[in-house]
Amino acid sequence: MDIAALITWLITALGGFYMLGTWLSRGGAKAGNSRLPVPVIFGHFALAAVGLVVWIIYMITDKGALAWTAFGLLVPVALLGFAMLARWLPVHRARSAAAAPGAESEPAERYFPVPVVAGHGLFAVVTVVLVLLTALGIGGS
């Protein structure tokens, strides 16, 4: 189960990297061009990256405290992710009502592909569940 969690975590990270790259390339870090606050974006990224490193160390050492630490890091990652989703949804819904594509006032996150957002969220939920089950000792890990 710990390997499955690692795989889903890495897949989730790939989707996150894609969206972060899209957001940055569209000027998301510039003031006023995004509904997603810069500290939330980078806090989500940093906590998820640290959690992944802790998870890898857990897999090497098999210390239960590290599994719980990784899970503890995933809780704020998930909360920040839900906050970003809540701020992204109105942007996505307003797509059809947008004036002209490429307008400067468009939020950078408007360019996130829905399948990537959905896949990132789905794999994130699966990762949290697998990490929790592993920390609880369920699944032979």
Side-chain angles (χ1 to χ4, degrees):
M1 187 154 331
D2 55 353
I3 293 171
L6 176 65
I7 291 168
T8 60
W9 205 324
L10 291 172
I11 292 169
T12 304
L14 288 175
F17 278 130
Y18 178 80
M19 288 188 289
L20 179 61
T22 300
W23 186 76
L24 288 171
S25 71
R26 298 292 183 162
K30 295 177 186 172
N33 193 28
S34 177
R35 291 186 43 115
L36 303 177
V38 172
V40 173
I41 292 268
F42 287 106
H44 178 77
F45 168 75
L47 288 171
V50 169
L52 180 57
V53 169
V54 169
W55 188 252
I56 291 169
I57 295 169
Y58 158 73
M59 290 180 63
I60 294 167
T61 63
D62 200 30
K63 303 276 187 199
L66 290 173
W68 283 109
T69 302
F71 177 74
L73 288 165
L74 282 177
V75 172
V77 169
L79 293 173
L80 291 171
F82 283 125
M84 288 188 290
L85 177 64
R87 294 182 71 108
W88 174 79
L89 283 172
V91 172
H92 171 66
R93 290 184 182 139
R95 262 186 150 159
S96 58
E104 269 188 54
S105 62
E106 284 185 313
E109 58 274 13
R110 177 200 181 288
Y111 297 95
F112 293 168
V114 174
V116 175
V117 172
H120 180 73
L122 177 65
F123 277 98
V125 169
V126 171
T127 300
V128 170
V129 170
L130 289 173
V131 169
L132 176 61
L133 291 174
T134 301
L136 290 169
I138 299 170
S141 161

